[in-house]
Amino acid sequence: MLLTALLIFGSFQKGRADCDVPSVTTVSGNQVPSGKICSGDLIFEDNFDELNLKKWQHEVTLGGGGPMRLEKIFLYHGTLSLIGGIPVDQCTNPQWYGCERTGKPDSVLNPIKSARIRTVDSFSFKYGRVDVRAKLPGGDWLWPAIWLLPRYNQYSGWPASGEIDIMESRGNKELKNGDGQNIGTQQVGSTLHFGPNYNYNRYEYAHFEKNNASGYDTNFHTYGMQWNPDNISFYVDDEVIGTDTGLENPWQRNTKMAPFDQEFYIILNLAVGGVNYFPDNADNPGGKPWLNGSPKASTDFWMGRDQWLPTWHLGTDDSHLQVDYVKIWAL
């Protein structure tokens, strides 16, 4: 199903003083259009001719659900690259085994550098169409994502206030589930996370996947969503892969799409490893060096680098998440 109707927009001007069709889209931040927002307006755009730090905030953290550290980005010929790499000071002390201090199993240093940028301080919006043209990385245990989080957590902490994953994928070229389906570079997924608490995340009711035998790491593709007041559609290269028209939510005072009726901001990131995204029971050449439930997941991951590091083809851009542009239009 092609998004023919969704592609028909009006003027692509930024906010103006008056228009025939006011938009239901709302925006906040210091990088938003001035004047009234009209239907079809281009309200956010970055072609990455430079890294505009007024638009993007570079997040450095030891978080992220597992063994990753977020730092490395660069621009090349109008493309943003988010990179996974090895810290130069990693494991130089013989009293450290990968990332865990001897005798202190709860003292863990994430062993990998990666990257995350976001618009949390500069741009958030409610309702619109998002297009992100990107080439995904190839390399075992790489985890690229294009996603959104709520600016103000109107419905309390995660996942109660929601999360919108436009695209997630895995960098393993030959990772397969029990049915023999490739769940690595040949598969992308789109997901809505929501629910009253961490143990009641209802994402399985709003999760969609699309496979491509050529692999999403071999070429650029467009990942996006159409976010309306009464539904959210995800697509790859203008083909809808799933639509959600209403959620099981306890916030009856608000819309049926709650918590997805508040402003969200954009995140682009490449993570590595983690303890909740790569299944322990999936089949991968060379195996999986760590278990998600292990108290030494970071150490086990690092000690298994002879398995995964050669698949990154360091010195090339194979393991980079490369983003050509981000564009958002008002409804």
Side-chain angles (χ1 to χ4, degrees):
M1 172 182 169
L2 294 180
L3 288 176
T4 304
L6 302 183
L7 286 168
I8 301 175
F9 290 95
S11 162
F12 287 85
Q13 301 174 36
K14 297 191 176 180
R16 49 210 138 117
D18 198 9
C19 56
D20 294 332
V21 186
S23 175
V24 296
T25 298
T26 67
V27 295
S28 296
N30 59 29
Q31 294 292 303
V32 301
S34 60
K36 183 181 295 184
I37 296 175
C38 301
S39 179
D41 281 353
L42 183 63
I43 57 174
F44 183 91
E45 180 179 21
D46 202 329
N47 295 294
F48 298 108
D49 297 318
E50 62 177 355
L51 182 57
N52 188 338
L53 296 179
K54 292 181 180 179
K55 290 183 178 180
W56 300 100
Q57 294 78 59
H58 187 196
E59 183 180 15
V60 178
T61 175
L62 289 173
M68 57 181 125
R69 187 163 69 185
L70 309 170
E71 284 187 352
K72 300 182 69 175
I73 60 176
F74 76 89
L75 294 176
Y76 183 72
H77 289 181
T79 300
L80 172 75
S81 281
L82 306 177
I83 312 166
I86 308 298
V88 295
D89 59 346
Q90 183 65 45
C91 306
T92 56
N93 188 326
Q95 296 303 309
W96 291 71
Y97 296 98
C99 37
E100 183 176 25
R101 188 188 298 271
T102 304
K104 294 185 178 180
D106 59 343
S107 180
V108 174
L109 172 66
N110 297 336
I112 297 299
K113 288 184 177 180
S114 185
R116 176 184 293 176
I117 59 174
R118 56 186 185 164
T119 64
V120 61
D121 295 327
S122 56
F123 177 82
S124 58
F125 74 107
K126 178 177 71 174
Y127 308 137
R129 175 187 167 105
V130 181
D131 277 5
V132 181
R133 185 173 184 265
K135 182 174 181 287
L136 305 191
D140 284 4
W141 320 121
L142 296 174
W143 177 5
I146 301 165
W147 52 305
L148 299 92
L149 283 177
R151 179 65 183 90
Y152 295 108
N153 286 324
Q154 179 179 341
Y155 299 99
S156 189
W158 193 93
S161 287
E163 173 183 320
I164 303 173
D165 298 335
I166 294 177
M167 185 287 304
E168 287 185 290
S169 187
R170 303 175 180 92
N172 307 57
K173 290 182 178 291
E174 298 295 335
L175 187 67
K176 296 181 180 179
N177 63 17
D179 296 328
Q181 182 184 45
N182 189 298
I183 60 171
T185 56
Q186 294 182 25
Q187 184 179 90
V188 294
S190 302
T191 310
L192 299 177
H193 292 271
F194 61 100
N197 56 60
Y198 183 88
N199 294 318
Y200 201 70
N201 180 359
R202 309 301 283 170
Y203 71 92
E204 67 269 22
Y205 293 101
H207 175 72
F208 312 100
E209 298 170 349
K210 181 174 176 58
N211 275 59
N212 172 11
S214 297
Y216 291 99
D217 61 322
T218 61
N219 209 337
F220 281 84
H221 295 271
T222 302
Y223 306 96
M225 74 167 179
Q226 178 87 4
W227 179 13
N228 299 318
D230 56 359
N231 62 73
I232 297 176
S233 292
F234 297 102
Y235 54 88
V236 178
D237 295 330
D238 296 332
E239 179 183 354
V240 174
I241 67 171
T243 299
D244 196 288
T245 58
L247 307 170
E248 176 189 346
N249 73 71
W251 304 287
Q252 297 302 317
R253 70 185 186 278
N254 290 337
T255 73
K256 70 171 186 175
M257 294 302 291
F260 303 104
D261 56 358
Q262 59 180 317
E263 291 185 0
F264 280 63
Y265 63 90
I266 314 159
I267 306 169
L268 307 175
N269 81 267
L270 174 61
V272 183
V275 293
N276 55 21
Y277 191 59
F278 292 92
D280 289 338
N281 59 356
D283 180 46
N284 186 72
K288 183 185 176 189
W290 82 101
L291 296 175
N292 289 337
S294 171
K296 300 192 303 177
S298 290
T299 296
D300 296 339
F301 172 79
W302 175 250
M303 297 305 288
R305 61 191 178 277
D306 288 345
Q307 179 271 320
W308 50 262
L309 189 55
T311 70
W312 288 18
H313 299 149
L314 296 180
T316 74
D317 60 6
D318 291 357
S319 60
H320 304 177
L321 170 58
Q322 301 174 64
V323 182
D324 183 21
Y325 61 72
V326 177
K327 297 180 182 182
I328 303 177
W329 293 269
L331 293 184

